[in-house]
Amino acid sequence: MSDVPQPPGPSAAPGTWRGAARPAPVEVLLRGWFTAVIRGGLAFAAMAALGQAISFVVYFARGADGPVGPVAKFGWFYFGWFHHVSLIASLPDLSVADLPGAEDLVSGEAFLTFQLRLALMLATFLAIGLLYWAGRVVADRAGGGGLARVLHGMKVAPFYGVPSLLISWVVRLDVPIPANPLASGSVEVQSSAAQSFVLPLLVALAAGAAGGLRSGRYELLAREPWGRRVAGALAGGFRMFLLGLVLSFAGLLVLAAVRPDATKAYFEAVSEPPADETAVIIGHHVLLLPNQSMWVLVPAMGGCDRVFGIGESFPFLCYWRYPREVSVGPISPENVFGGAPPVSTEFGTAPAGYFLFLLVPALSVFLGGRHAARKRARTRFEAAAVGAASGIVFAVLVATGSWLASLSAVFSANLGLISTDSSVRAGPDVLVGGLLALAWGVAGGLAGGWVAGRELPGRTKLLGSPGFGPPEAPTAAGPPDLPPPPPGEDS
């Protein structure tokens, strides 16, 4: 039941791969840079172009009203949101008009700063795919052993992260405050320069390394038995994560069919604005579909979606804390500067039908563990172990996805007597979600691997048995399996 691919070239002894000569360390450092420049640059250009395309689609959908310069700048902000980069809006030189008592309220420098941080995860996955492909191409052309190919794949990262940093320094949008009796000045909008470099760089490093690992998979598989087992765990963990996202979305579709009133309310809400605004809202919702799936997957495993801020955290979506009715109270300056406007929510246990969402993680981890065992296991014990190890990969991916799917906002203000610095984050609980994913992944992967390995032998056969290892090399006396001559003939 194992489909381990055979590397090209002459057969090698177990634990070695002779398909590629090992270059010197200096050669590893020098090879592949030209290809990395091209492939990393192409990946950056593609994602930057996607940001521009989205911005201009929004612009034309709203009637192409206004100059195109700010539209092109906002296209760059979309690129930042592809990588969970904060968008910062600030009033660094806020001037308050001559109002009664204003001189007593505001003294010295006044400023307001607001940061919004999110990831449009559908575009994030596209960036990961492009960088994975780029890293694999660089590693294929540079060659070398498995570790060398991983390093080659990572070489695309500087040519993806550095242009992002350079452009974030240049692109700024100034929006004058409309004339009003309260304040004057302009709002400066820009992406966080530090995050614009670090986050795209990390995405490119991880995706490029994965592409290099894929390029050098033959050496990994040849390192018996741990290389093959690691490859199986990686394949199973990624299968668990992708199935979790897909099944979470499918569960929402089933819920929409079962509860048409809620579906109707959603479309009525997004249809209230003009038709062009409706198209823009739905288009952005499509970009956020993986975020939505993460907000479902963690509660489906028994965790919570929470609001973190003001020193506390408030669960708002769990099996045991399900929102039945939500109402927003009056918004006043005291509420805004104190944190968040009052929100009244009636919570209760989720209806019984919602517990069917437990099938989402159960099926995901079982099928992922089964996939890992079928890909790489050779014994029943190994099948169960590889399936369980897939759960570790699944936990890392769920924790990372939970962080990406979160929405964060930071508000800072200094108005003399009024000064505040608060932050809020809404989304899946990263720590608890990761731990739950570990428990689900190990247990479900173990079960899936055991089921897939029932037909496998109980232990590894001796080297040289059929299907295990290369045949023995012939000796000088001839092949060892040459049959004896018939009686009466010379040997």
Side-chain angles (χ1 to χ4, degrees):
M1 298 177 65
S2 175
D3 59 351
V4 179
Q6 295 299 320
S11 56
T16 62
W17 175 38
R18 297 178 183 174
R22 295 185 179 275
V26 175
E27 293 184 63
V28 174
L29 294 176
L30 297 179
R31 285 184 185 177
W33 287 107
F34 178 77
T35 307
V37 171
I38 301 299
R39 300 297 175 173
L42 286 175
F44 172 81
M47 297 309 300
L50 178 61
Q52 294 296 320
I54 295 174
S55 183
F56 274 94
V57 165
V58 173
Y59 173 70
F60 287 114
R62 292 179 171 175
D65 185 18
V68 286
V71 180
K73 292 181 178 180
F74 211 85
W76 174 250
F77 301 148
Y78 273 106
F79 177 89
W81 279 344
F82 297 161
H83 304 85
H84 209 252
V85 174
S86 295
L87 182 64
I88 305 173
S90 60
L91 285 79
D93 300 312
L94 181 63
S95 300
V96 180
D98 294 332
L99 295 175
E103 64 278 2
D104 298 328
L105 179 65
V106 179
S107 60
E109 296 183 356
F111 68 86
L112 294 173
T113 302
F114 179 77
Q115 299 184 34
L116 180 62
R117 188 173 186 180
L118 75 156
L120 303 174
M121 285 181 64
L122 189 62
T124 306
F125 289 166
L126 176 60
I128 292 172
L130 290 174
L131 290 163
Y132 169 87
W133 168 76
R136 182 176 177 180
V137 170
V138 174
D140 284 342
R141 296 190 178 182
L147 179 59
R149 290 178 184 241
V150 170
L151 295 176
H152 290 319
M154 296 170 66
K155 290 177 181 177
V156 302
F159 309 105
Y160 191 80
V162 172
S164 175
L165 172 64
L166 296 178
I167 295 180
S168 67
W169 280 341
V170 176
V171 176
R172 297 191 180 191
L173 184 62
D174 291 327
V175 182
I177 298 177
N180 64 87
L182 297 177
S184 61
S186 63
V187 179
E188 295 182 359
V189 184
Q190 64 184 107
S191 296
S192 169
Q195 295 178 18
S196 294
F197 173 67
V198 173
L199 295 177
L201 183 72
L202 291 176
V203 170
L205 283 172
L213 182 63
R214 175 65 178 175
S215 175
R217 64 191 180 281
Y218 292 122
E219 178 170 345
L220 177 65
L221 295 174
R223 294 183 179 275
E224 287 286 347
W226 295 108
R228 176 171 46 79
R229 293 171 180 172
V230 169
L234 290 173
F238 276 97
R239 178 65 64 94
M240 290 177 179
F241 182 68
L242 293 178
L243 284 173
L245 295 181
V246 172
L247 293 178
S248 295
F249 178 67
L252 288 178
L253 294 181
V254 173
L255 183 62
V258 173
R259 297 191 57 185
D261 293 341
T263 307
K264 180 181 178 181
Y266 166 76
F267 282 104
E268 287 179 350
V270 300
S271 300
E272 287 183 359
D276 53 355
E277 295 289 341
T278 299
V280 169
I281 293 172
I282 294 177
H284 284 80
H285 191 171
V286 170
L287 291 172
L288 291 168
L289 285 179
N291 304 57
Q292 175 182 275
S293 293
M294 285 302 311
W295 284 49
V296 173
L297 178 58
V298 171
M301 293 189 297
C304 288
D305 292 334
R306 293 176 175 268
V307 175
F308 300 85
I310 322 174
E312 299 183 40
S313 67
F314 305 93
F316 64 88
L317 183 59
C318 309
Y319 287 122
W320 59 89
R321 191 171 175 80
Y322 179 80
R324 296 183 177 272
E325 184 177 352
V326 180
S327 60
V328 180
I331 301 176
S332 63
E334 292 81 6
N335 291 329
V336 173
F337 289 113
V343 178
S344 176
T345 307
E346 180 184 347
F347 290 98
T349 304
Y354 282 77
F355 284 86
L356 291 175
F357 273 93
L358 287 167
L359 293 174
V360 170
L363 288 174
S364 300
V365 297
F366 179 84
L367 294 176
R370 180 171 173 264
H371 173 73
R374 286 191 165 186
K375 289 283 287 183
R376 299 292 177 241
R378 293 180 176 177
T379 68
R380 286 194 296 270
F381 172 79
E382 193 174 57
V386 171
S390 301
I392 301 174
V393 180
F394 176 60
V396 173
L397 293 175
V398 167
T400 304
S402 298
W403 177 75
L404 283 173
S406 298
L407 175 67
S408 303
V410 178
F411 179 76
S412 301
N414 184 2
L415 302 177
L417 299 179
I418 300 176
S419 179
T420 182
D421 188 358
S422 59
S423 64
V424 62
R425 183 179 73 84
D429 192 318
V430 176
L431 178 60
V432 174
L435 293 176
L436 285 171
L438 180 64
W440 276 95
V442 171
L446 178 67
W450 180 82
V451 170
R454 285 181 300 174
E455 298 178 1
L456 294 175
R459 59 179 181 177
T460 306
K461 294 183 181 181
L462 295 176
L463 186 64
S465 300
F468 291 84
E472 295 182 1
T475 62
D481 56 350
L482 187 64
E489 295 187 10
D490 296 334
S491 57

